[in-house]
Amino acid sequence: MKPSKPTGSSKVSSRRDLLNLQRQVGGAIMRPLTPRWKMSPAARAVVAKFIKPNDRLTGFERLELYNWQYWYRLIDCLYDDYPGVRAILGERPFSKLCRDYLIRHPSTSYTLRNLGRQLPQFVRPPLARDMARLEWARIVAFDAEERPVVTADDLLDTKPDRLRLALQPYVTLLKLRYPLDDFLIALKRLNTEALRGEASNAVTSTKRKRVQTLRRPRPETVHVAVHRINNAIYYKRLTPAQFALLRALQAGRTLTQACARAGNPDELQRWFGTWAAFGWFCRRATRKSLI
């Protein structure tokens, strides 16, 4: 039985040759697309070495298919993770944002979950940036670690001036300049209605237009905790005092220090009862912590 011929003009005769091939072809596939969504002409050097044409496509066109597949998959992930940012910016600006972002912050993780981690710092318009922060917090709430919950028995022998509580890793505290939690909920509802209409063949042009022209929120400072309960994501509005208290605990302050500027004892008891019922409090991940 005759061995198969190599697919390109360069032979692969050792592991080093194979590694070199993988690096060059992989680099060409991951190279950013041109502004017209074509593969960069710089990839022709790799094509000439390794990629042969077939009866339908040139070597360049064959490699370009993989280049498109790679980039469209990454962009598709950002479309799925940041629908709110897309609704605020519009389709074309968001598409350009995705390409610019991926050039500056290419995928470096084994999981695409982390692909949009830097997007909140990359977006410039304040409204879109706040939305990116909220949508990244939603991703964290969905799949971040859940640590053992602190129980009443854990607290019995610890004095408040020495007690330090941690918040679950999936809880994100946000101070936003716009009430985007309501906006994101409304956007999801409208998109769900449109999707149901498509599935039932009953969607109207009015409903489609409504999804695209959802009214932008007016500036209003809000404090929000993004968290999960039973694998469902929730946005919990907080008062400025509640937000400051939770941020203090998150920063490692003792319970006494965190509550120093908070409300009266009855309010504090009610707040902590609600947060404990949500399962927000957990053990700190440091050796010196008492809890």
Side-chain angles (χ1 to χ4, degrees):
M1 187 175 180
K2 294 183 179 181
S4 59
K5 295 181 179 180
T7 58
S9 57
S10 294
K11 294 182 179 180
V12 177
S13 57
S14 67
R15 290 187 177 182
R16 180 176 295 180
D17 290 341
L18 177 60
L19 180 60
N20 183 51
L21 169 63
Q22 291 172 332
R23 285 175 174 170
Q24 291 189 57
V25 174
I29 290 173
M30 292 184 286
R31 185 183 293 273
L33 298 172
T34 68
R36 293 190 175 184
W37 300 96
K38 300 292 185 179
M39 188 166 70
S40 170
R44 293 189 182 278
V46 176
V47 173
K49 284 173 133 182
F50 300 109
I51 312 298
K52 284 187 174 182
N54 58 25
D55 59 344
R56 288 168 294 178
L57 301 171
T58 66
F60 187 87
E61 290 170 337
R62 292 180 67 190
L63 187 61
E64 188 175 46
L65 292 176
Y66 292 93
N67 190 210
W68 284 340
Q69 183 184 47
Y70 175 79
W71 276 84
Y72 291 162
R73 179 70 182 99
L74 296 185
I75 292 172
D76 191 53
C77 287
L78 294 179
Y79 267 68
D80 288 343
D81 289 344
Y82 291 95
V85 177
R86 177 160 52 98
I88 289 170
L89 294 180
E91 290 293 337
R92 287 189 178 182
F94 184 75
S95 179
K96 183 179 184 303
L97 170 70
C98 289
R99 185 168 56 193
D100 293 345
Y101 172 77
L102 291 171
I103 292 173
R104 180 70 65 85
H105 300 284
S107 177
T108 57
S109 174
Y110 72 95
T111 171
L112 289 175
R113 179 266 193 194
N114 298 325
L115 184 64
R117 181 190 297 272
Q118 302 298 326
L119 193 68
Q121 290 76 43
F122 190 80
V123 180
R124 292 194 175 184
L127 179 61
R129 174 171 290 191
D130 266 9
M131 176 57 79
R133 293 171 61 213
L134 181 62
E135 291 188 301
W136 175 251
R138 185 182 61 180
I139 294 171
V140 171
F142 181 77
D143 62 5
E145 175 191 5
E146 180 175 359
R147 296 175 184 165
V149 176
V150 171
T151 66
D153 291 339
D154 295 323
L155 309 179
L156 290 178
D157 298 327
T158 308
K159 296 180 179 180
D161 61 347
R162 299 187 62 196
L163 176 61
R164 287 180 170 84
L165 296 173
L167 295 185
Q168 292 283 2
Y170 61 77
V171 178
T172 302
L173 305 176
L174 294 174
K175 181 180 179 180
L176 303 173
R177 287 164 286 187
Y178 300 85
L180 289 170
D181 51 339
D182 289 342
F183 180 89
L184 195 56
I185 292 170
L187 179 66
K188 181 178 180 181
R189 183 182 301 115
L190 291 175
N191 287 335
T192 300
E193 290 175 359
L195 183 61
R196 288 174 179 170
E198 290 282 5
S200 65
N201 202 27
V203 68
T204 64
S205 59
T206 302
K207 192 172 291 185
R208 290 172 189 257
K209 186 176 180 181
R210 190 180 177 192
V211 174
Q212 298 174 357
T213 59
L214 187 65
R215 181 178 297 177
R216 294 186 178 191
R218 296 179 179 179
E220 176 191 348
T221 300
V222 296
H223 301 81
V224 182
V226 186
H227 66 114
R228 71 170 182 253
I229 299 177
N230 297 327
N231 296 321
I233 308 302
Y234 293 91
Y235 309 106
K236 173 66 175 174
R237 285 282 182 96
L238 303 170
T239 66
Q242 291 172 333
F243 181 81
L245 192 159
L246 290 170
R247 284 292 296 270
L249 291 176
Q250 203 172 46
R253 301 289 188 271
T254 66
L255 185 60
T256 298
Q257 292 170 335
C259 295
R261 299 181 180 180
N264 60 55
D266 290 338
E267 283 186 325
L268 289 174
Q269 186 175 8
R270 185 172 65 255
W271 295 352
F272 275 87
T274 299
W275 301 335
F278 291 157
W280 284 5
F281 300 121
C282 63
R283 297 178 181 276
R284 298 194 67 82
T286 57
R287 294 182 179 179
K288 295 182 180 180
S289 298
L290 294 170
I291 292 297

